Amino acid sequence: MRRAPLAALLLTPLVGLACTGSAPAGAREGVAAPSPAVSNTSLAPSAQAPGAAATCSGQPTPAETEGPYFKAGSPERTSLVDSGIPGTRVVVSGRVLTMDCRQLAGVVLDFWQADASGVYDNAGYRLRGHLTTDGDGRYSLQTIVPGEYPGRTQHIHVKVEAPGKPVLTTQLYFPGSARNQQDSLFNPALLLQVVDAQGGKAATFDFVLNFR
Ligand code: FE
């Protein structure tokens, strides 16, 4: 099994912007939306633009519902692991790309998630934070594996905001979670790739934004 030191996966924090949005009060997440169609579309890479630094699927990352627990104004940080917080440590990292596989610097990723018991902090900013992709379009976030809560499998919410472009709001899922198949929002196109790492897990996901 591949093991990578968590410290090697961390990137230097960069200046970022806060996302905006609203959290409708009292809404239930994950109970109203129909299941997104599971696509078996080929993931053949599209033609790369001149100067493209990496390959990618070329398939835009699917959007998902924001849910009721987004809160604007999260702190800028690359670690959501506050002192003493319980849960399995995981470093989530990857790239933000265009459909022609250009790696995008300066993209703000705003994450929010439940704690290991499936509870969101709606009063403060525990397990909420945003960061910005570096010059190679890479990001890295230290956090914990979220817990399940009623109606939902394990997931991490994120808004991906490239300057001057529409915000992509979506969710990331964990392979092998027992409840994935019972969650109407689960989409296998949004599965993290997860391996064991020193002190926890290392997970990767490349976001592909819907423009070239
Ligand atoms: Fe949620």
Side-chain angles (χ1 to χ4, degrees):
M1 185 172 293
R2 188 161 72 86
R3 288 180 181 272
L6 286 183
L9 297 164
L10 307 182
L11 296 176
T12 304
L14 298 171
V15 174
L17 301 170
C19 287
T20 57
S22 59
R28 283 293 304 277
E29 179 178 63
V31 294
S35 175
V38 174
S39 170
N40 291 318
T41 307
S42 164
L43 295 181
S46 61
Q48 279 193 27
T55 56
C56 67
S57 70
Q59 303 296 310
T61 300
E64 289 217 316
T65 179
E66 177 180 289
Y69 302 126
F70 175 69
K71 188 174 168 183
S74 74
E76 180 194 353
R77 50 183 175 169
T78 55
S79 176
L80 306 183
V81 184
D82 295 328
S83 176
I85 195 167
T88 300
R89 270 51 175 167
V90 59
V91 176
V92 180
S93 65
R95 303 171 297 171
V96 179
L97 303 146
T98 60
M99 289 171 65
D100 51 359
C101 302
R102 284 185 300 116
Q103 299 180 204
L104 288 168
V107 177
V108 176
L109 294 101
D110 197 352
F111 295 94
W112 71 104
Q113 66 171 83
D115 67 14
S117 301
V119 175
Y120 285 86
D121 177 10
N122 295 313
Y125 287 96
R126 189 166 170 260
L127 293 170
R128 300 172 185 270
H130 72 272
L131 52 75
T132 306
T133 56
D134 69 7
D136 293 321
R138 296 184 183 278
Y139 71 92
S140 182
L141 178 77
Q142 299 176 68
T143 186
I144 60 163
V145 176
E148 302 169 341
Y149 57 90
R152 295 307 318 275
T153 190
Q154 295 167 303
H155 62 281
I156 296 175
H157 294 269
V158 60
K159 287 180 178 287
V160 184
E161 185 169 11
K165 301 292 184 181
V167 176
L168 167 67
T169 301
T170 192
Q171 304 182 30
L172 302 176
Y173 296 93
F174 290 80
S177 293
R179 296 259 299 277
N180 282 347
Q181 302 307 324
Q182 285 82 54
D183 187 328
S184 64
L185 294 179
F186 172 72
N187 183 340
L190 295 168
L191 277 171
L192 293 155
Q193 291 192 11
V194 181
V195 296
D196 290 334
Q198 268 183 8
K201 306 277 186 185
T204 55
F205 190 87
D206 285 347
F207 297 93
V208 180
L209 301 183
N210 193 12
F211 60 88
R212 294 179 185 277

